[in-house]
Amino acid sequence: MTDPSHTSPTRARANPLRRTRRPLLPPDARSRAAHLLTAAAARGRFDLPCCRGCGRFVWPIPEACPDCLSEIATAPAPRGARVISITTAEMPADTYFRERAPWRVGLVTLDCGPQAIVHMHPDAVPGQDVRLTLMLDRAGQAVLHAAPKGAAMQADPQYREMTADPAARRVLITDARHLAALPLARALIQAGAHSVHLGVPEAWKPLPTRAAFEAIAGVRLVDLDITSDRSVTDLAADLAGKVEILVNTADLPRPGGLLGPAAQVQAREMSEVIAQGLMRLARAFGPAMAGRGADGPHGAAAWVNLLSVFGRATPPGWAGYGAAHAAALSLSQVLRAELGAGGVRLVTVLTGPTDDDWFQTLGAPRVTGPALANAILKALREGLEEVAVGDVALDLIARLEENPKAVERDLARGSLS
Amino acid sequence: MTRVLETLARALSGGGVRIVDLTQTLRDDFPTIVLPPEFAPSAPIRIERVSHYDAAGPSWYWNNLSFGEHSGTHFDAPAHWFTGRDRPLGTVDTMPCAHMVAPACVIDCSDGAALDDDFLLTRPMIEAWEDRHGAIPAGSWVLMRTDWSARSGAAYAGLRDDGAHTPGPDAEAIRHLVHARGILGFGTETIGTDAGQGGHFEPPYPAHHYLHGAGRYGLQCLTNLHLLPPKGAMLMTAPLKVHEGSGSPLRVLALVEGEDE
Amino acid sequence: MAGPRGYDGIVLAVPVTVPSVKNAPKSTQWWIGRALAGLAQGSGLSHKVFDGLSVASFSLAPDTTIGLTQHFGLSPRYIDFQPLGGMSGIAALRRAARAVQAGDAEIVACIGADANGPQSFRRSLENFSRSAQDAVYPYGAGGPNVNFSLIAQAFMAETGLTRADFGRIAVAQRGNGQLNPLALIKGALTLDAYLDARPIAPPIHLFDCVMPCAGAEAFLVLREETARAQGLPFVRLTASIERHNAFPADTVMLRGGWARDVDSLWAQAGVEPGAVDLVQTYDDYPFVSAMQFADLGFCDRKDLAEFIHGHDFGVAGSLPHNTSGGQLSCGQAGCAGGYLGLVESIRQLTGQAGARQVARARRALVSGFGMIVFDRGLGSGAAILEAA
């Protein structure tokens, strides 16, 4: 088995006697209307304020259109813009930016009309056409970022500051038995992760993928049962201060409605793994991660919860499972706030039924391990906060936004779509 | 006090009777029985710290325990199996206390089990043991020593693609012990009184089938059987007095003649 | 369309400067009180006689002018609150003038004042504007420097002006400031020092920036008869303009609002554009002063370089500019910065400017500008004052 504690070329060992830099956040106050942008940025959508009456795009987001005074909503907008001017804030008044000065910022005129002040990629020059992204900054608030088309985003330290690129970072995947665990471990190592630890619950039970994991350089299997206080605290004692990205894949899918004979006991077990387990992990690993949000270029960056979309809308045949995931979604909100204070992003990845035994009777399309792995990598690299994977999840979420009552009735009638 | 107990007390305090602990530590990573996942699962062993001289409880330390009845070193009562469901006094709270102190015979299968994970104790092996040590008395425990307790983790659980592979009695052996010898109960070092592959025997899980069908008991996940003589040890096996319980983890102690080593 | 009504008989008197200090543990009310005392002392009148009170401040919250009436014991018929930064003075003057003209007040005390401590600047930024909160601060652009550097670049690209051109303005101003005993920054400034200064947000460097401080400036607005009766030296208000969000269609601020109403300004004054003996521009940055020269009619924008190099902006020069040294020398005491040019012009036109007196100063142009909440300064205005 290879030793994941090797010092990679991109990651030097830190001086253990130096004080850890405490995380600061960029200015995080926003008007209530501006939170429409937060919702879009969290999902990686480029939706800008747009007048419901005349269709004009406006920036910043006003309470009424400056042309026709109609209501403002957000709408998908073209992403192009032209740079008017660029500067670097050498002595910003704000402490967060002061620590990271010089901070590169520019004034652009958007193809869809208004002007905006944006975070600026180092390759951009005045007069150039650039591509805008609406993304979440370290405070979890929406900001605009501009880069020339085709520019390497991770080459911009300001972009890296707002995202959770796995390169040179240490990752913990909590359950190696999940079908996404092996493709995710491979993808993370390929993306340049310094190491990937995977938790194996009940290691005395066979792990068919054990040899495949051990064949990947930088991967290490460790004992971890997130339903056990002792197991979680023992692993946290060794690892909590070293995890920069945590991906929680612990799950226990068991179909069953409310009324079947085994349903209550199974529901309790599912709750223990999916909800209580998440809370236990959060208590053991959360504080250390939140404290290391600004610990150098590869400090703590993201916590990913891989959850079922059934937590948002529960089919009657998945009662206990849906309830456990609903609890996990609720805990995720709280954990997001706790980690957010340290600039660590909590990513919720909602998936429909996956392509493994427990969802066998649910028809295609089911979500594969590689699809989940890719979605997680994308979320980390782009700083996303809300991700849905697969047609079933995307469809359910869209329908929930439109009319939750209709979804409830459809599911009760036995239809997932 | 009768003279027998007086004698025993003196013997226990260093005069010729010692206590051997046959119990595995109850910990959250100790393997438990694995059923097909469609069935309702037994809760895993969990020790949840409530407080530890801290803000959650400044002067005290205590835990919540949760486990299925059949976790760790544990006792099976007749009610545990369908064949024993109508037996009177078949639950842990109703069984006679007289049955909680009983003699034990230990059959050493460690050589065979070292070579074969699926080693089976057979009737000829029992009869060969009786040739050497005398007949197994009615009302005594029969303990199958395999030294399996020296293993841990995956090696202990013995799980492979086609199920568990751990030693145990074959159907004829256990039927003979229950019906012809009238044993009080059967004990093993493995998870289960039956062999790992016992589900394929006739009847399936013959130890459970015959023991509990006859109102007898089972002991599992024992350890230190190598410290017991083939005959003469006295077992103390008092399960928790759980209302209508089918079994429980317990402390299994053996009284053995002889000085401490 | 007929222009605005004139300001016949409306005068300004009693220029007051409460000396500014970089940091002081004094409240805004304290600075306002000192300014009020200066007005009372300078006018020989009890402050209780002032029946108008106009205050401009960023640091008075949660109070506005009305709380100050009880605080300082006066009972005005007219109150005003104009927290408009560099526009404060012009805005206060225009409204006070009309109130006095209509007989709604006799003597209006106009005061611009702000407190300052080590945390003041950052704290005031955080609550400055919704647009700034949503679309400026999250980008590291807290404070005006970054916003104006983005504008400056576009302005330089448009006009061909260089840092050296702006440096000429800054150096001349500092020279004037050295003649002002109340200037906070007293050393000489050379063009080399200006060019070599540490970058703040390129092309804005250290000596383009004003220093935030605490201070107060004030004057009285009243009728000429009242001033004469009291024996007060005074200056006349002969023209003024004001415009906010002047050019919403401009993608970047290459011109300020003055460009929209400059013709009206000179028409009100009845003189040719540029026919003044001194000019006080709002100098939050030298490049904005340059922009004002063009927008206020001193020259065409394309001729700015020639204009800048063709004039001596010192108090004894061809076009005395920011004769007190401006904010670049005196510091920016919040809204008091928007009063600086008016108060200095009253001194100049009444012969009270001491070592920096401009000879034969008869007419002055004062410009106000400010309130960048997103990508451009929203407020602009100007006034022309004449000696009695």
Side-chain angles (χ1 to χ4, degrees):
Chain A
M1 186 178 68
T2 50
D3 170 20
S5 66
H6 61 277
T7 305
S8 74
T10 50
R11 183 173 189 132
R13 290 186 171 153
N15 181 348
L17 297 181
R18 288 204 62 189
R19 177 186 179 275
T20 304
R21 183 170 71 162
R22 306 297 303 158
L24 290 173
L25 301 177
D28 67 345
R30 296 290 193 281
S31 65
R32 199 172 176 76
H35 282 308
L36 289 173
L37 301 168
T38 316
R43 295 188 175 109
R45 296 170 54 102
F46 194 76
D47 292 348
L48 294 187
C50 184
C51 175
R52 278 214 168 108
C54 65
R56 177 187 154 159
F57 284 100
V58 286
W59 187 271
I61 185 164
E63 295 294 343
C65 173
D67 268 358
C68 71
L69 296 180
S70 301
E71 295 269 332
I72 302 289
T74 51
R79 294 180 70 155
R82 174 157 294 182
V83 180
I84 298 171
S85 46
I86 301 176
T87 190
T88 47
E90 303 281 339
M91 313 267 303
D94 176 83
T95 317
Y96 169 86
F97 286 110
R98 181 74 139 239
E99 277 182 351
R100 291 155 181 81
W103 190 271
R104 208 171 153 80
V105 65
L107 180 65
V108 303
T109 187
L110 281 71
D111 288 357
C112 63
Q115 284 72 51
I117 293 172
V118 301
H119 295 299
M120 189 65 76
H121 191 283
D123 292 352
V125 295
Q128 189 179 27
D129 287 332
V130 289
R131 186 168 184 270
L132 298 180
T133 306
L134 186 68
M135 60 194 295
L136 297 177
D137 67 11
R138 213 58 197 261
Q141 302 288 42
V143 290
L144 287 170
H145 178 275
K149 296 180 177 57
M153 296 303 243
Q154 294 295 337
D156 177 3
Q158 293 177 191
Y159 187 86
R160 290 183 60 77
E161 168 71 10
M162 297 191 278
T163 57
D165 186 22
R169 285 195 159 106
R170 296 171 290 193
V171 186
L172 171 64
I173 299 172
T174 57
D175 190 347
R177 297 184 192 277
H178 193 282
L179 94 164
L182 182 57
L184 181 60
R186 284 197 179 115
L188 287 165
I189 293 293
Q190 192 150 15
H194 181 262
S195 62
V196 179
H197 281 71
L198 292 112
V200 183
E202 297 181 315
W204 50 269
K205 290 184 183 169
L207 177 65
T209 46
R210 182 177 290 273
F213 279 117
E214 288 170 354
I216 310 172
V219 163
R220 189 192 192 103
L221 298 174
V222 293
D223 287 336
L224 177 62
D225 188 327
I226 69 170
T227 65
S228 161
D229 279 350
R230 181 205 54 81
S231 180
V232 171
T233 53
D234 278 359
L235 188 68
D238 276 341
L239 271 192
K242 296 183 181 182
V243 174
E244 280 111 29
I245 296 174
L246 190 150
V247 184
N248 182 23
T249 52
D251 196 16
L252 190 72
R254 295 291 181 267
L258 276 184
L259 308 176
Q264 183 108 39
V265 176
Q266 282 178 330
R268 183 179 183 277
E269 287 310 309
M270 288 189 274
S271 176
E272 279 297 322
V273 171
I274 296 161
Q276 294 292 323
L278 169 58
M279 184 167 173
R280 190 170 289 108
L281 271 176
R283 287 163 60 80
F285 286 86
M289 284 182 74
R292 289 189 56 237
D295 188 12
H298 313 298
W303 180 303
V304 182
N305 278 338
L306 184 48
L307 298 174
S308 167
V309 72
F310 290 169
R312 296 267 329 261
T314 308
W318 289 86
Y321 187 62
H325 276 279
L329 275 169
S330 171
L331 289 168
S332 292
Q333 271 194 314
V334 177
L335 183 56
R336 178 169 286 141
E338 297 278 352
L339 292 173
V344 176
R345 178 103 1 108
L346 187 298
V347 187
T348 307
V349 176
L350 287 179
T351 176
T354 48
D355 193 18
D356 59 2
D357 295 344
W358 288 103
F359 299 103
Q360 174 240 339
T361 57
L362 298 174
R366 282 183 282 139
V367 181
T368 64
L372 286 168
N374 288 340
I376 291 169
L377 260 294
K378 179 173 195 281
L380 292 172
R381 286 202 172 109
E382 296 179 11
L384 305 180
E385 192 172 271
E386 307 278 0
V387 177
V389 189
D391 292 345
V392 169
L394 285 163
D395 177 63
L396 267 177
I397 289 167
R399 285 158 57 212
L400 278 169
E401 276 170 17
E402 207 178 272
N403 186 344
K405 213 42 163 170
V407 175
E408 188 185 335
R409 287 293 185 270
D410 287 341
L411 291 178
R413 284 199 183 92
S415 163
L416 259 189
S417 56
Chain B
M1 199 196 301
T2 68
R3 285 198 325 214
V4 172
L5 288 178
E6 233 180 78
T7 310
L8 178 60
R10 258 200 312 276
L12 282 167
S13 63
V17 171
R18 57 193 164 81
I19 300 175
V20 180
D21 187 359
L22 304 185
T23 321
Q24 296 263 19
T25 304
L26 191 67
R27 334 169 14 114
D28 65 3
D29 56 2
F30 193 84
T32 51
I33 193 75
V34 179
L35 297 182
E38 285 82 2
F39 297 128
S42 169
I45 301 163
R46 290 292 176 257
I47 303 161
E48 179 193 17
R49 176 165 294 180
V50 179
S51 77
H52 194 254
Y53 328 113
D54 54 16
S59 312
W60 50 94
Y61 159 49
W62 53 351
N63 301 304
N64 287 336
L65 300 176
S66 56
F67 40 74
E69 286 171 327
H70 299 266
S71 309
T73 301
H74 69 277
F75 186 97
D76 286 357
H80 179 46
W81 208 250
F82 78 98
T83 50
R85 69 184 171 202
D86 296 326
R87 302 294 309 187
L89 310 179
T91 56
V92 289
D93 57 330
T94 54
M95 62 180 279
C97 289
H99 292 169
M100 297 177 191
V101 185
C105 300
V106 182
I107 302 181
D108 182 1
C109 305
S110 56
D111 287 343
L115 297 173
D116 179 9
D117 289 349
D118 293 306
F119 181 84
L120 295 178
L121 173 67
T122 62
R123 181 166 165 178
M125 290 175 195
I126 293 166
E127 286 162 351
W129 185 91
E130 287 183 308
D131 287 343
R132 276 187 70 189
H133 302 290
I136 291 167
S140 68
W141 286 94
V142 171
L143 308 179
M144 179 179 175
R145 174 190 160 189
T146 51
D147 289 350
W148 207 256
S149 58
R151 302 174 177 223
S152 63
Y156 181 81
L159 287 165
R160 298 187 213 154
D161 283 348
D162 57 353
H165 291 264
T166 56
D170 74 2
E172 176 52 24
I174 192 69
R175 194 201 58 76
H176 176 71
L177 286 173
V178 170
H179 290 303
R181 291 291 176 269
I183 62 172
L184 179 69
F186 189 76
T188 62
E189 296 185 53
T190 54
I191 305 167
T193 46
D194 274 299
Q197 292 290 300
H200 298 293
F201 297 170
E202 258 328 307
Y205 305 106
H208 288 75
H209 186 101
Y210 290 122
L211 283 167
H212 305 315
R216 317 297 166 77
Y217 312 116
L219 277 175
Q220 289 128 109
C221 302
L222 296 171
T223 186
N224 283 335
L225 294 188
H226 65 287
L227 296 178
L228 301 183
K231 246 182 173 178
M234 288 292 292
L235 245 53
M236 291 161 52
T237 61
L240 294 174
K241 194 174 182 183
V242 174
H243 183 225
E244 295 177 359
S246 76
S248 84
L250 79 175
R251 200 68 180 261
V252 179
L253 299 176
L255 299 179
V256 172
E257 309 246 15
E259 302 293 333
D260 283 330
E261 270 149 41
Chain C
M1 189 182 78
R5 189 175 159 184
Y7 295 101
D8 286 348
I10 302 303
V11 301
L12 293 74
V14 192
V16 167
T17 298
V18 183
S20 41
V21 174
K22 183 169 182 207
N23 289 311
K26 296 273 188 229
S27 68
T28 309
Q29 284 83 346
W30 184 88
W31 290 95
I32 293 171
R34 301 279 28 95
L36 205 50
L39 290 173
Q41 187 182 46
S43 64
L45 296 166
S46 163
H47 67 288
K48 294 179 195 293
V49 172
F50 303 154
D51 62 352
L53 179 60
S54 176
V55 171
S57 180
F58 286 137
S59 56
L60 193 56
D63 275 308
T64 61
T65 308
I66 196 163
L68 299 170
T69 61
Q70 187 174 37
H71 194 116
F72 292 119
L74 60 168
S75 306
R77 296 189 285 150
Y78 166 85
I79 58 172
D80 195 12
F81 187 59
Q82 293 293 332
L84 300 180
M87 251 305 283
S88 301
I90 303 290
L93 169 61
R94 283 166 53 85
R95 287 144 187 68
R98 294 305 184 196
V100 171
Q101 193 171 47
D104 287 343
E106 288 280 328
I107 306 175
V108 181
C110 297
I111 302 171
D114 265 296
N116 199 58
Q119 302 300 323
S120 300
F121 192 58
R122 241 184 35 247
R123 257 192 236 119
S124 73
L125 292 184
E126 282 157 16
N127 295 301
F128 193 66
S129 153
R130 171 185 155 133
S131 295
Q133 169 192 262
D134 283 355
V136 178
Y137 302 151
Y139 299 91
N145 294 329
V146 166
N147 297 59
F148 277 105
S149 79
L150 294 169
I151 296 170
Q153 278 180 45
F155 187 68
M156 290 163 81
E158 172 76 10
T159 59
L161 288 171
T162 65
R163 287 194 62 226
D165 299 326
F166 304 138
R168 193 174 154 77
I169 298 173
V171 166
Q173 253 188 248
R174 183 71 78 82
N176 295 342
Q178 288 191 284
L179 301 169
N180 182 355
L182 296 181
L184 272 188
I185 300 171
K186 300 187 189 306
L189 177 67
T190 64
L191 185 61
D192 281 340
Y194 171 86
L195 290 170
D196 292 339
R198 166 212 283 172
I200 301 297
I204 285 174
H205 290 235
L206 184 61
F207 295 121
D208 291 295
C209 299
V210 303
M211 183 172 77
C213 60
E217 303 272 319
F219 54 85
L220 295 178
V221 175
L222 61 173
R223 284 180 296 114
E224 182 174 341
E225 306 89 271
T226 317
R228 284 191 191 281
Q230 199 58 23
L232 302 176
F234 61 86
V235 306
R236 300 183 198 287
L237 174 63
T238 58
S240 82
I241 54 170
E242 176 179 340
R243 179 73 66 169
H244 307 287
N245 191 32
F247 297 109
D250 285 2
T251 60
V252 63
M253 187 189 141
L254 299 176
R255 52 183 173 165
W258 317 275
R260 233 174 120 160
D261 303 290
V262 58
D263 292 344
S264 167
L265 178 71
W266 297 109
Q268 289 173 56
V271 299
E272 287 300 306
V276 293
D277 304 307
L278 53 137
V279 56
Q280 322 286 11
T281 62
Y282 188 72
D283 62 335
D284 50 355
Y285 302 95
F287 90 88
V288 181
S289 291
M291 191 187 292
Q292 284 162 87
F293 288 139
D295 291 349
L296 285 164
F298 285 86
C299 66
D300 283 343
R301 192 161 72 193
K302 60 181 170 53
D303 300 325
L304 265 172
E306 192 189 318
F307 177 84
I308 289 169
H309 289 277
H311 281 91
D312 177 350
F313 297 118
V315 294
S318 59
L319 181 59
H321 170 245
N322 286 350
T323 55
S324 66
Q327 294 179 110
L328 289 173
S329 294
C330 298
Q332 180 183 67
C335 291
Y339 272 61
L340 208 61
L342 285 169
V343 171
E344 170 67 4
S345 297
I346 297 170
R347 289 201 178 96
Q348 288 283 352
L349 297 177
T350 56
Q352 297 178 69
R356 61 193 189 280
Q357 180 67 54
V358 170
R360 293 177 300 281
R362 299 285 317 157
R363 187 181 299 115
L365 168 62
V366 181
S367 174
F369 171 68
M371 304 309 289
I372 181 159
V373 303
F374 174 44
D375 64 339
R376 62 197 64 198
L378 292 180
S380 62
I384 294 177
L385 306 177
E386 292 200 14

